[in-house]
Amino acid sequence: EAPPVASISPPPPPPTSFGTAMRALDSGDYESAANAMAEFAKTHPDDARADEADYVQAVALQRAGRTDAAKAAARSYLARWPNGAHRAQARTIASD
């Protein structure tokens, strides 16, 4: 008698990639870029690009005209990354 065959489940959908988020930003789809960056930072908190993703989320929101959300994202960036690479720019967004 043959051993039972293990069931094969489909792989989970790929996480939002940083590259996808940057392409959305570059194409002017700022809402999608902001959402994708937030998702990337949330699902990849230890990735070296998480700092960048948090900052770019604030930039994308600012470019989308969502000033209050951009300020909140910039403040969140500063709280999470007090010594982050984009702290000076984030302070500017938070105070605009």
Side-chain angles (χ1 to χ4, degrees):
E1 184 172 319
V5 177
S7 66
I8 300 173
S9 57
T16 300
S17 76
F18 188 83
T20 299
M22 288 304 293
R23 282 188 294 281
L25 183 73
D26 291 343
S27 72
D29 187 356
Y30 303 127
E31 288 290 333
S32 292
N35 292 334
M37 286 298 178
E39 182 66 20
F40 180 86
K42 178 182 166 189
T43 58
H44 299 87
D46 298 325
D47 190 291
R49 296 166 295 180
D51 172 310
E52 182 87 6
D54 280 338
Y55 167 69
V56 173
Q57 178 189 8
V59 169
L61 289 166
Q62 185 180 47
R63 290 182 184 174
R66 297 184 52 206
T67 305
D68 290 342
K71 287 181 181 187
R75 286 191 290 271
S76 178
Y77 171 87
L78 291 166
R80 183 170 177 202
W81 308 99
N83 297 314
H86 304 286
R87 64 187 177 275
Q89 299 95 325
R91 282 189 200 113
T92 300
I93 294 170
S95 66
D96 280 351

